[in-house]
Amino acid sequence: MCRQTVIELSVNNHPGVMSHICGLFARRAYNVEGIACMPVNGGQTSKIWLLVDADDRLDQMIKQVDKLEDVLIVERYDSGHPVFAKMAEFVQ
Amino acid sequence: MKMSGAEIIIKLLERQGVRTIAGIPGGANLPLYDALGQHGGIKHILTRHEQGAGFIAQGMARVSGKPAVFFATSGPGATNTLTAIADAKLDSIPVICITGQVPLSMIGTDAFQEVDTYGLSVPITKHNFLVRSAEDLLRVIPEAFRIAASGRPGPVVVDVPKDVQMAEIEFDQWPEPGVPDRTPELFAGEIEHAAAMINRAEKPILYLGGGVIQSDSASQAVAVAEKGAIPAAMTLMGLGSIPSGHPLNLGMLGMHAARYTNLALEECDLLIAVGVRFDDRATGKVSEFCPNAKVIHMDIDPSELDKIKTAHASVRGDVADVLKALLPHIERQNRTEWNSRIEALKGAHPMLVPGADDPTSPYGVILKAAELAGDQAIVCTDVGQHQMRTAQVYPFTRPRHWLTSGGLGTMGFGMPAALGAALAAPDKPVICFSGDGSIMMNIQDLATAMEYDIPVKIILTNNNALGLVRQQQDLFYGKRYVASNYGKCVDFMKIADGFGINTYDLGNCDDPEATLARALAAPGPALVHVPVSPDEPVYPMVAPGAANSQMIGGENHV
């Protein structure tokens, strides 16, 4: 079993941001196992949580995500994040 | 003020200092063209294909270092721009493509000439916008210029629905023009650590890339090389960083480098990588690239550091700032032993140039044109054997005078990029080396050259084949020349003549040198036709995926 990591992104909230982020992972053949996204502060920005396998390309992926104009903050939670623990209840 | 979205765009472009825009109108960007015509401060170059418009913008941006703009309509207009945009992304060129889009209410209905320009351009731009209101333009246009020119430059697409172009809005004041972000602050520790490694090294080599050109730091790179007596190799994109006649110049490295360049890199103990991204055409098999060397990597883009090769020391920053900060820490040294070793390698494994004295040979025509055009000339190429030969032997003396499609390797780049170069630098001679395969990919813009009387001199070496493809088939596919020879010959003289371009044929004249001189001296655009053999390979060559030490051909049998 691969170790998994959660990346938490603060992003601008407009149509297209999700495709920038998911496209970045997809075209590097790096699967995103889980996604959660919610608007914050009235919807100007959103938080996105990505659940990904922590392979040796992850540092490079995070640098690439950080480069996107619409990504404001990137945080990494190597020991998991409760958002996915709670979401897991809905997909049992 | 009350203005339409289209007028706002044109005014904002004027305020950014844009004076020339290439493009093609269509239904979805006609309001923009109407505003362009009514305000009159910007010259428009009507191309015959949107890809040509994109490469004209690239030519202007590569020569000036400033973002250049091009226009296309929705649908096929927008899809035609994609190759030029992707090319700008891989070579880090600041261009802004403004496309028309179907009205907002029709987006997603498969309307006439609708295509998801935003979605298509996501992976090939630095950033892109789908503008949703005329008010947004006041923020988006300056942002596009800021993003294109900041940090590592790159292309930006701004997709503007037709109703947004037509909407009229009231606003009080113009936004400030978009300017590049300040360059990132350097860490003194990184600089000092790098300097200490350089001072300690016995056999260092500078490895200079497009970042040196982009950051206008060629003179700093030369200063570091001279102070430390450090030989310097360049990537395809870095050519011009160090004058070709400079004693520390090692020329281009990689797939088509001179033997001595790759052999020197094999022996170096420290590789100082400046504004490069360790492209496989430069490194060859990366695990065997500079096998004995520690690596210092300097780049403004943190995602380039440790991407392909893990550096022993990284320096994050604009390489102009980095080299400036580094210079006082570099010890003045002679490194006599190392430089004599390089001289010995140059003597034993020189760059062999068959036909150098013959202006009708593939190399000879490049050298003769260089001699005739003088050292102010801007040199563009298409992609193929002529491109690699030019990179190998052209005597480059300064940055921003060498325009070639490095990362994407786009056939069709050269001629429209040369038009852009000539528009950006009307006082300089512009030469474009092309091949018969490449020029066909954007030959329609010969009409653009003719219409605006843009004095580019196209030197077309014609082997009636896809030369580099054929060369790979020769070396690696058992000489099975599948689809690399053209069955019949096209008469390029007649074609160019039909486009209203002056033509000169070096294959059918008494004095090729005088004919070439006449072509270069004549006003207006010209096509010089040079028939060459398809059986003249570009050597040396490193097989794709092989180590740079495994070079084929170009050996010195004395």
Side-chain angles (χ1 to χ4, degrees), chain B residues 157-173:
Chain B
V157 165
V158 183
D159 196 28
V160 193
K162 189 174 183 180
D163 52 343
V164 171
Q165 296 172 46
M166 294 197 294
E168 294 211 329
I169 59 161
E170 288 265 12
F171 59 103
D172 296 329
Q173 64 179 44

Side-chain angles (χ1 to χ4, degrees), chain B residues 85-252:
Chain B
I85 294 168
D87 189 281
K89 176 75 162 29
L90 278 173
D91 285 351
S92 307
I93 305 301
V95 290
I96 295 164
C97 175
I98 300 181
T99 48
Q101 181 55 276
V102 302
L104 275 173
S105 58
M106 293 171 78
I107 286 181
T109 66
D110 298 329
F112 176 66
Q113 291 197 330
E114 183 190 357
V115 77
D116 177 13
T117 305
Y118 183 89
L120 286 169
S121 59
V122 165
I124 57 168
T125 50
K126 194 170 169 193
H127 192 56
N128 59 359
F129 297 94
L130 172 55
V131 183
R132 289 174 189 280
S133 72
E135 285 84 0
D136 277 355
L137 288 166
L138 295 166
R139 173 183 59 83
V140 166
I141 300 291
E143 270 289 276
F145 279 83
R146 179 189 68 78
I147 293 166
S150 294
R152 181 180 181 189
V156 176
V157 165
V158 183
D159 196 28
V160 193
K162 189 174 183 180
D163 52 343
V164 171
Q165 296 172 46
M166 294 197 294
E168 294 211 329
I169 59 161
E170 288 265 12
F171 59 103
D172 296 329
Q173 64 179 44
W174 290 106
E176 287 300 307
V179 295
D181 294 334
R182 288 180 52 179
T183 54
E185 267 187 50
L186 305 179
F187 293 103
E190 288 185 347
I191 300 284
E192 285 156 21
H193 182 50
M197 285 174 73
I198 294 168
N199 292 336
R200 260 200 320 271
E202 287 173 12
K203 299 188 278 185
I205 288 184
L206 279 159
Y207 165 30
L208 306 175
V212 175
I213 309 287
Q214 294 289 1
S215 63
D216 293 317
S217 61
S219 58
Q220 283 97 316
V222 173
V224 167
E226 286 176 346
K227 194 169 179 195
I230 307 166
M234 287 158 285
T235 68
L236 183 66
M237 292 297 292
L239 291 173
S241 302
I242 289 199
S244 65
H246 196 286
L248 292 167
N249 178 17
L250 285 175
M252 180 174 69

Side-chain angles (χ1 to χ4, degrees), chain B residues 10 14 86 105 116 128 132-133 137 151 158 180 199 226 247 299 317 322 329 380 410 437 446 477 485 504:
Chain B
I10 299 301
E14 277 181 16
S105 58
D116 177 13
N128 59 359
R132 289 174 189 280
S133 72
L137 288 166
V158 183
N199 292 336
E226 286 176 346
D299 207 291
V322 172
H329 298 280
C380 306
T410 309
L446 281 178
Y477 295 89
N485 290 317
Y504 303 81

Side-chain angles (χ1 to χ4, degrees), chain A residues 12 14-17 19-21 23-24 27-28 60 63-64 66-70, chain B residues 118-119 122-123 125-128 132 143 146-147 152 301-307:
Chain A
N12 291 325
H14 66 79
V17 174
S19 77
H20 269 275
I21 292 162
L24 190 65
R27 64 181 178 269
R28 284 168 169 76
Q60 174 60 213
K63 285 181 182 176
Q64 295 289 343
D66 203 20
K67 234 163 76 167
L68 295 173
E69 277 296 324
D70 283 321
Chain B
Y118 183 89
V122 165
T125 50
K126 194 170 169 193
H127 192 56
N128 59 359
R132 289 174 189 280
E143 270 289 276
R146 179 189 68 78
I147 293 166
R152 181 180 181 189
D301 181 350
S303 72
E304 284 305 320
L305 304 171
D306 302 330
K307 184 179 87 174

Side-chain angles (χ1 to χ4, degrees), chain A residues 47-89:
Chain A
K47 281 227 162 159
I48 298 175
W49 294 269
L50 302 174
L51 180 68
V52 296
D53 288 343
D55 76 18
D56 52 10
R57 296 173 298 162
L58 187 60
D59 286 345
Q60 174 60 213
M61 278 314 309
I62 289 175
K63 285 181 182 176
Q64 295 289 343
V65 171
D66 203 20
K67 234 163 76 167
L68 295 173
E69 277 296 324
D70 283 321
V71 172
L72 310 172
I73 302 168
V74 181
E75 284 174 278
R76 179 172 168 171
Y77 295 90
D78 282 335
S79 46
H81 192 284
V83 72
F84 288 108
K86 297 224 165 128
M87 269 170 69
E89 293 169 17

